[in-house]
Amino acid sequence: MGTNGTACPSPMKATSNGVFQGDDPLHFALPLVILQICLVLVVTRVLAFLMRPLRQPRVIAEIIGGILLGPSALGRNQNYLHAIFPARSLTVLDTLANLGLLFFLFLVGLELDPKSIRRTGKKALGIAIVGISLPFALGIGSSFILRATISKGVSSAAFLVFMGVALSITAFPVLARILAELKLLTTDVGRMAMSAAAVNDVAAWVLLALAIALSGSNQSPLVSLWVLLSGCIFVISCIILVPPIFKWMSQRCHEGEPVDEMYICATLAAVLAAGFITDTIGIHAMFGAFVIGVLVPKDGPLAGALVEKVEDLVSGLFLPLYFVSSGLKTNVATIQGLQSWGLLVLVIFTACFGKIFGTVMVSLYCKVPIREALALGFLMNTKGLVELIVLNIGKDRKVLNDQTFAIMILMAVFTTFITTPLVVAVYKPAKRARMAEYKYRTIERKNPNSQLRILACFHSQRNVPSLLNLLESSRGTEKHQELCVYALHLMELSERSSAILMVHKARRNGLPFWNKGHRSDSGNIVVAFEAYRQLGRVSVRPMTSISSMSDMHEDICTTAEGKRAAIIILPFHKHQRLDGSLETTRSDFRWVNRRVLERAPCSVGIFVDRGLGGSSHVAASNVSYSITVLFFGGRDDREALAYGSRMAEHPGIRLTVIRFLVEREAAGEITRVNMEEDSSTILDSVDEVLLNEFKKTKADNNSVKYEEKAVTSPEQAIAIIRETGRCNLYLVGRMPAGEVALALTRRSECPELGPVGTLLTSPDFSTTASVLVLQQYNGQVPQNFTSESAEEVSTETD
């Protein structure tokens, strides 16, 4: 540094006195690092937004952002590089980046369940083993070529292992996001890929520890041996000492209660201490953090609280710094000449061939179909964060020079970038053949004793008790076939990396709850549904939808069709406050409901929950509900009547059906709006047939009451509805037909509820009753929500 007579740059002071006192903020550590972080966040987020249409994971945008900010692009301008990323500021940036990396690896360990790895099937284990060993061997082979050309003079053993690890890694977090984006998490391909990647991840960390141990500056093999032995002693000590402590903490954290801050701080301190120990040993500090993460128990609220506290700050703020730190070390300009570019092609080919060929061969041997085998091969070729960690450590330990480092970074970007397009091209998950037609897509049917299949959706634990009480009321009697319920947990796929935790929810999607065992991510929801399943004559299957809000409706509709559901029950986007009023939970769920109503392959019910049965599930023997069906006419009202008719068979249900008729002398007050005579006649005739059948079958049932109300004005109809306000549940059609319903129509902020549903949920309608608004499947063009008319003019078809 001092060869030209100048001294080494002095260390930067932390804070400045401000520009008014003559200080340049860019010459001080804190303001400079703030500027660097802001620049990193802006560039990486803009790139992530631009790459969203290409369905690329955010890690790609962050790596490319780092390369753009580094000497490969903007860094070619020396004035910019010396002002924004001067050499003496990189220590602070690297320290922050590595601190973020430390806690991120703790989160990765937290998300990796050792039990799930032990349960890995033979197919996934075989794919993982070959998917590691073949590219590892090819990586060692290519390392000889690189050492003979651009990496002369480096430590041979360390270089071999680093190259082998870099080429054999599958990025577990990145793979989880790609699978979720392509809606493959819950498929056989997705489950197999995640199981294989989890095994691959653990193997990669073991190999990385070996590579770090071999890469010390001291060439004596005895030192490397001491490092390895000390690392093994550290891991064994942690396995013996740490789990009992965390188990003790976890037992003192109760569901539904905030986790004590002391336990959070103690865990984070343990992560830092473990990082210090492994760094002292000579293995990277992040290895200790990863080990602590793996050993934290996954049951109970402690793990969830840790993720919630650490996640956003680490993955949103500090982790992008690590990618930029990598980009600042990457100079694509060092790849010059035919030889260098030829070596880049060789490395990319070796990495892709080893992973894809090995995975495809094992998959075909295990009798996996060719398209799924190819998809698995492409998925297992995903690189990402772990790859960058390996390469950065290799660069810091002088095992990889600038040219080799740049080649390996470009290989990681290329292999990850091509994953999504190749999987979509081969597997085409969005274009799979639609399910065959099935008979019962509505509750109204000729054979009411046939099996009823319900897809019951919920967002959170809050929706579950009332939903279970609604399902209990739908059970019918012994003469009915067993009620089949698919409980679909709607989970949003966010940009947060803890979306990986959702993978565990999807691991045994659709199997009976009693096969799932006790799992933290199921919690009280599983207990509630398990208790309900044991009531008998009910089949309950858990499902998990993990998707972004923009396409969550596709998951719901596809699941309903795949499970041959007759009705989808959706929670309303508002929930009841303590004062009884309804407030919006999330407006995004409202649009999900609307899209499902437009595209559903069966009937749809929107459940406005006002605490049906209270805050807990009511046992069958204790059910005592008063249910009211408001019948104006039309297909949706007939669906409501059919559902009410089924509920009336439950011994604890009292059903009241109120049919509204227009007194003909009231023609001046209730007019026929755009209602053609022949359509009205058809509607009336179909309604009459169903009502006559209902009256005949329920004539002997003392718990069923049928009333006809003749009204002369909309106000009179509303007054009659108000008189029924003491019931527990209303069943109404979304788009009722007839003059009375049309007269009730008014502009509403919730057209998905229709005119009657809007009236029952309006603030000026005083009732504590829940409301189920039903739309009957008609197999025709979906409803258009741009029109809020309640008119039904389509002809009836069975």
Side-chain angles (χ1 to χ4, degrees):
M1 288 188 181
T3 53
N4 59 358
T6 60
C8 291
S10 59
M12 301 178 83
K13 290 183 179 179
T15 56
S16 71
N17 294 316
V19 290
F20 294 112
Q21 298 191 41
D23 284 351
D24 183 351
L26 297 183
H27 293 165
F28 294 83
L30 182 62
L32 182 57
V33 82
I34 290 172
L35 178 64
Q36 290 169 341
I37 291 172
C38 291
L39 183 63
V40 166
L41 291 178
V42 169
V43 170
T44 54
R45 291 291 174 164
V46 169
L47 282 171
F49 177 78
L50 294 175
M51 289 188 176
R52 193 175 294 168
L54 301 176
R55 303 174 86 173
Q56 292 296 326
R58 200 171 74 191
V59 64
I60 290 290
E62 288 168 342
I63 296 173
I64 293 174
I67 292 172
L68 290 178
L69 290 171
S72 302
L74 293 175
R76 289 176 176 272
N77 184 327
Q78 292 298 310
N79 292 330
Y80 152 82
L81 199 62
H82 291 150
I84 307 298
F85 293 104
R88 58 182 181 163
S89 76
L90 295 184
T91 303
V92 177
L93 191 67
D94 277 350
T95 303
L96 279 175
N98 278 284
L99 191 64
L101 178 70
L102 190 80
F103 283 109
F104 181 78
L105 265 293
F106 164 68
L107 291 175
V108 171
L110 200 61
E111 293 164 346
L112 201 65
D113 188 357
K115 293 177 185 174
S116 68
I117 295 174
R118 285 201 295 269
R119 291 195 299 264
T120 300
K122 291 180 181 178
K123 284 185 186 179
L125 193 61
I127 289 169
I129 292 170
V130 176
I132 295 169
S133 53
L134 183 58
F136 190 86
L138 291 174
I140 290 175
S142 61
S143 69
F144 286 109
I145 300 172
L146 289 170
R147 282 192 73 232
T149 50
I150 62 172
S151 296
K152 295 176 181 176
V154 297
S155 168
S156 58
F159 188 68
L160 295 182
V161 179
F162 265 104
M163 284 298 295
V165 174
L167 266 63
S168 62
I169 282 171
T170 296
F172 183 82
V174 181
L175 178 62
R177 173 153 299 281
I178 289 174
L179 287 169
E181 290 280 357
L182 296 180
K183 306 220 175 289
L184 293 175
L185 265 181
T186 57
T187 63
D188 290 339
V189 170
R191 283 195 286 269
M192 209 177 301
M194 287 311 301
S195 296
V199 176
N200 194 307
D201 221 30
V202 173
W205 292 116
V206 174
L207 291 169
L208 180 57
L210 173 65
I212 293 169
L214 293 171
S215 63
S217 56
N218 193 318
Q219 297 299 314
S220 169
L222 197 60
V223 173
S224 297
L225 183 62
W226 274 116
V227 172
L228 271 177
L229 284 174
S230 300
C232 292
I233 291 168
F234 166 77
V235 172
I236 293 167
S237 302
C238 284
I239 290 171
I240 294 170
L241 300 174
V242 172
I245 298 171
F246 280 124
K247 189 176 180 182
W248 178 83
M249 284 186 192
S250 186
Q251 286 172 346
R252 277 153 183 75
C253 300
H254 304 293
E255 289 284 356
E257 296 179 10
V259 175
D260 194 320
E261 185 188 358
M262 183 182 72
Y263 299 142
I264 301 289
C265 292
T267 305
L268 299 183
V271 172
L272 293 171
F276 174 78
I277 293 169
T278 49
D279 194 76
T280 304
I281 290 171
I283 304 174
H284 198 284
M286 50 110 195
F287 189 75
F290 176 74
V291 171
I292 296 295
V294 171
L295 295 176
V296 170
K298 310 302 183 276
D299 301 324
L302 179 62
L306 286 166
V307 169
E308 191 179 328
K309 301 284 185 187
V310 179
E311 181 73 47
D312 290 329
L313 185 67
V314 171
S315 64
L317 197 64
F318 288 128
L319 200 60
L321 296 182
Y322 193 81
F323 295 109
V324 171
S325 176
S326 305
L328 291 171
K329 299 172 191 170
T330 305
N331 190 353
V332 179
T334 58
I335 307 175
Q336 294 178 340
L338 193 61
Q339 184 192 61
S340 293
W341 287 104
L343 289 171
L344 173 62
V345 173
L346 172 68
V347 169
I348 290 174
F349 174 78
T350 305
C352 294
F353 178 79
K355 273 286 182 190
I356 297 170
F357 180 77
T359 303
V360 170
M361 288 298 102
V362 176
S363 301
L364 292 175
Y365 176 78
C366 295
K367 295 183 171 54
V368 175
I370 181 67
R371 287 196 313 131
E372 293 186 10
L374 283 170
L376 271 172
F378 296 140
L379 287 166
M380 295 302 290
N381 196 37
T382 306
K383 308 293 182 191
L385 178 72
V386 187
E387 173 92 1
L388 284 188
I389 294 169
V390 172
L391 299 178
N392 274 288
I393 293 172
K395 180 83 161 57
D396 294 340
R397 298 289 177 107
K398 304 288 188 278
V399 176
L400 305 176
N401 60 24
D402 290 349
Q403 197 171 351
T404 310
F405 182 77
I407 285 173
M408 298 302 287
I409 288 285
L410 291 181
M411 180 271 289
V413 172
F414 178 79
T415 52
T416 306
F417 192 88
I418 64 171
T419 298
T420 301
L422 286 176
V423 173
V424 171
V426 171
Y427 199 57
K428 293 185 176 63
K431 297 181 181 178
R432 289 181 216 152
R434 293 182 68 81
M435 299 294 293
E437 287 295 315
Y438 61 96
K439 188 175 181 181
Y440 296 120
R441 293 177 182 263
T442 62
I443 295 174
E444 183 191 358
R445 55 185 68 172
K446 290 180 180 178
N447 179 13
N449 295 328
S450 54
Q451 185 185 56
L452 177 62
R453 291 176 171 237
I454 297 177
L455 179 66
C457 304
F458 59 95
H459 303 139
S460 65
Q461 192 173 319
R462 175 191 292 165
N463 308 133
V464 173
S466 295
L467 183 60
L468 285 174
N469 293 331
L470 178 67
L471 295 172
E472 168 58 32
S473 305
S474 312
R475 212 150 48 102
T477 57
E478 295 293 324
K479 66 180 180 180
H480 283 295
Q481 289 186 24
E482 183 181 65
L483 175 67
C484 184
V485 176
Y486 294 94
L488 183 64
H489 190 178
L490 304 176
M491 299 186 70
E492 182 184 8
L493 175 67
S494 65
E495 284 293 330
R496 301 171 62 179
S497 59
S498 62
I500 306 160
L501 283 174
M502 291 189 266
V503 173
H504 303 309
K505 274 185 172 285
R507 188 173 292 279
R508 291 199 173 193
N509 212 17
L511 295 179
F513 274 108
W514 39 266
N515 277 350
K516 291 173 74 73
H518 296 290
R519 305 229 317 233
S520 60
D521 52 11
S522 303
N524 292 345
I525 293 174
V526 169
V527 174
F529 278 104
E530 165 66 8
Y532 178 54
R533 185 192 65 79
Q534 290 177 347
L535 291 172
R537 298 199 53 75
V538 181
S539 168
V540 182
R541 301 294 171 94
M543 309 285 293
T544 305
S545 162
I546 306 170
S547 52
S548 60
M549 283 295 181
S550 60
D551 56 6
M552 188 175 282
H553 64 283
E554 293 178 10
D555 275 10
I556 296 170
C557 294
T558 304
T559 305
E561 192 161 29
K563 301 304 178 185
R564 299 173 178 263
I567 184 169
I568 301 167
I569 296 179
L570 300 167
F572 190 44
H573 70 276
K574 295 183 180 182
H575 71 270
Q576 188 176 33
R577 297 168 56 179
L578 292 175
D579 61 2
S581 61
L582 294 170
E583 69 173 356
T584 301
T585 310
R586 278 188 60 178
S587 57
D588 293 353
F589 288 124
R590 174 189 182 184
W591 298 106
V592 172
N593 289 356
R594 288 189 173 195
R595 293 186 190 109
V596 172
L597 283 167
E598 289 175 356
R599 303 171 193 182
C602 60
S603 294
V604 180
I606 295 182
F607 184 43
V608 183
D609 178 20
R610 285 198 176 106
L612 179 64
S615 59
S616 61
H617 172 223
V618 178
S621 58
N622 296 330
V623 168
S624 179
Y625 302 143
S626 173
I627 297 177
T628 301
V629 176
L630 301 177
F631 190 93
F632 294 88
R635 70 166 79 246
D636 292 352
D637 278 24
R638 292 201 303 276
E639 191 74 352
L641 181 61
Y643 203 164
S645 179
R646 182 182 179 97
M647 286 181 159
E649 295 172 10
H650 195 293
I653 301 291
R654 299 182 308 281
L655 178 70
T656 302
V657 177
I658 300 176
R659 185 191 185 190
F660 291 88
L661 298 169
V662 181
E663 290 188 1
R664 291 303 166 191
E665 59 269 22
E669 296 193 46
I670 298 182
T671 57
R672 302 170 73 89
V673 184
N674 295 328
M675 182 70 75
E676 294 184 20
E677 203 64 46
D678 57 345
S679 175
S680 176
T681 305
I682 293 171
L683 284 171
D684 290 345
S685 64
V686 178
D687 292 345
E688 291 295 340
V689 169
L690 182 68
L691 285 166
N692 289 333
E693 180 67 24
F694 172 78
K695 286 186 279 188
K696 187 169 68 176
T697 55
K698 304 300 180 187
D700 299 329
N701 191 335
N702 296 327
S703 63
V704 176
K705 185 164 66 171
Y706 174 81
E707 299 177 6
E708 290 188 353
K709 300 285 186 180
V711 294
T712 59
S713 67
E715 290 74 21
Q716 189 177 357
I718 293 172
I720 292 170
I721 294 173
R722 286 184 187 278
E723 291 173 7
T724 65
R726 293 194 176 184
C727 67
N728 301 103
L729 175 69
Y730 282 106
L731 296 177
V732 298
R734 192 180 80 82
M735 300 292 280
E739 298 91 328
V740 182
L742 286 169
L744 289 172
T745 302
R746 57 183 178 181
R747 293 197 65 80
S748 162
E749 64 172 21
C750 298
E752 62 268 29
L753 296 183
V756 184
T758 298
L759 173 69
L760 295 172
T761 55
S762 63
D764 56 349
F765 189 87
S766 178
T767 182
T768 58
S770 299
V771 183
L772 182 62
V773 181
L774 292 136
Q775 172 183 284
Q776 188 179 71
Y777 173 76
N778 60 16
Q780 296 183 1
V781 179
Q783 301 285 345
N784 184 359
F785 281 101
T786 56
S787 169
E788 297 189 11
S789 169
E791 180 181 343
E792 177 174 336
V793 295
S794 60
T795 58
E796 298 291 310
T797 56
D798 289 329

